[in-house]
Amino acid sequence: MRAALALVSLLASPALAQSEEAVTIDTPLGPVIGTLETPAGDPAPVVLLFHGFTGVRDELPVANTDEGVFSRTARLLAEQGIASLRIDFRGSGESPGAFADTTFEGQVADGLAALAWLEANPAVDGQRLGVIGWSQGGLVATAVAGRSDKPDALVLWAAVANPEESFGGIVGAETIAKGLEAGDAALPVTLPWGAVVELKRGFFEGVTTFDPPAELASYAGPLFIAHGTLDTTVLPTAVGTFLAAHDGEESKWLAEMDHVFNAFTGPETLDQMVGETVAFLKPHLQ
């Protein structure tokens, strides 16, 4: 019932005019490309979005629409008076670099740089700032939140809590072991959906050492977790793990959805989740 009410509220509210522009964020490690979406009027509160493993800033196409999961989310946020910045981590999408050099710590550095960029940007109200992370982007979000004095609100969508478990399911324990022994050479990895990527030892070291719940434990602000009961990529047990690690205001939303929020069949479940997310964000970004 709550999900239905949140969706009705999201769709019934009057849409605000909005604008979208590509931006470049300079960091000590190289430029990061993003899309800044803002509603019309005074500088609005803003949300930073982190994409998942092998993803890009618009994210996975949503069936029966011409939008990706994150580009649709950004539009819906702007229609509710919330600006957003979605970025390509270095080596992904339009951001320079080789995907093989991707590491969790490198993405955390990108996220912290984007956070600081938003705080200083007069086009948005960086003093009212939230973060949304999906899957591996949720793992990154735990560290960005835990290592900074922002955000004012944190949202984890199907976030990785146990990297060895989740990436073991994606690439296999044998591949992780080979990656740890690969030295500086890039290891070709065939993913379950047929794509082939190259990854280096730094990525696999992160899989075995990065601790998202420990990172989250350093964040005391409001937390919202959305997860699918049908998720086999990041198991629903992640929800309890994160809630146990976090000391502060928190809420969760569980739905009968897979790891991609049923996006392969249409936008309905995603829109419900965005509605719940907006309902959580608004009072914390006032």
Side-chain angles (χ1 to χ4, degrees), residues 141-178:
T142 63
V144 169
R147 300 181 193 183
S148 67
D149 60 359
K150 288 285 182 181
D152 301 298
L154 176 63
V155 176
L156 301 179
W157 287 354
V160 173
N162 184 332
E164 282 197 87
E165 177 184 74
S166 295
F167 287 95
I170 295 172
V171 305
E174 182 179 345
T175 298
I176 294 173
K178 287 181 179 178

Side-chain angles (χ1 to χ4, degrees), residues 1-8 224 251-253 272 276-277 279-280:
M1 175 65 72
R2 178 183 167 186
L5 291 174
L7 180 59
V8 168
F224 176 77
S251 58
K252 66 181 179 180
W253 182 75
Q272 290 176 8
E276 290 285 338
T277 299
F280 163 77

Side-chain angles (χ1 to χ4, degrees), residues 51 89-90 92 102-112 136 140:
H51 66 73
F89 291 117
R90 280 175 297 114
S92 297
T102 295
T103 65
F104 296 160
E105 288 294 341
Q107 292 194 349
V108 171
D110 291 346
L112 288 169
Q136 182 176 311
V140 172

Side-chain angles (χ1 to χ4, degrees), residues 31-163:
V32 169
I33 308 301
T35 300
L36 182 66
E37 191 146 348
T38 55
D42 294 334
V46 62
V47 172
L48 178 58
L49 296 98
F50 297 144
H51 66 73
F53 178 59
T54 74
V56 295
R57 67 185 189 270
D58 283 354
E59 264 297 353
L60 188 77
V62 180
N64 306 318
T65 78
D66 58 358
E67 297 174 301
V69 168
F70 271 6
S71 56
R72 185 177 184 87
T73 297
R75 175 177 62 79
L76 293 173
L77 288 171
E79 289 176 356
Q80 296 300 307
I82 301 173
S84 67
L85 172 67
R86 55 190 191 271
I87 63 170
D88 288 329
F89 291 117
R90 280 175 297 114
S92 297
E94 293 185 278
S95 290
F99 183 77
D101 293 322
T102 295
T103 65
F104 296 160
E105 288 294 341
Q107 292 194 349
V108 171
D110 291 346
L112 288 169
L115 197 74
W117 185 88
L118 281 174
E119 287 188 86
N121 193 320
V124 298
D125 184 349
Q127 301 309 304
R128 296 183 291 164
L129 199 159
V131 169
I132 297 175
W134 176 14
S135 194
Q136 182 176 311
L139 171 155
V140 172
T142 63
V144 169
R147 300 181 193 183
S148 67
D149 60 359
K150 288 285 182 181
D152 301 298
L154 176 63
V155 176
L156 301 179
W157 287 354
V160 173
N162 184 332

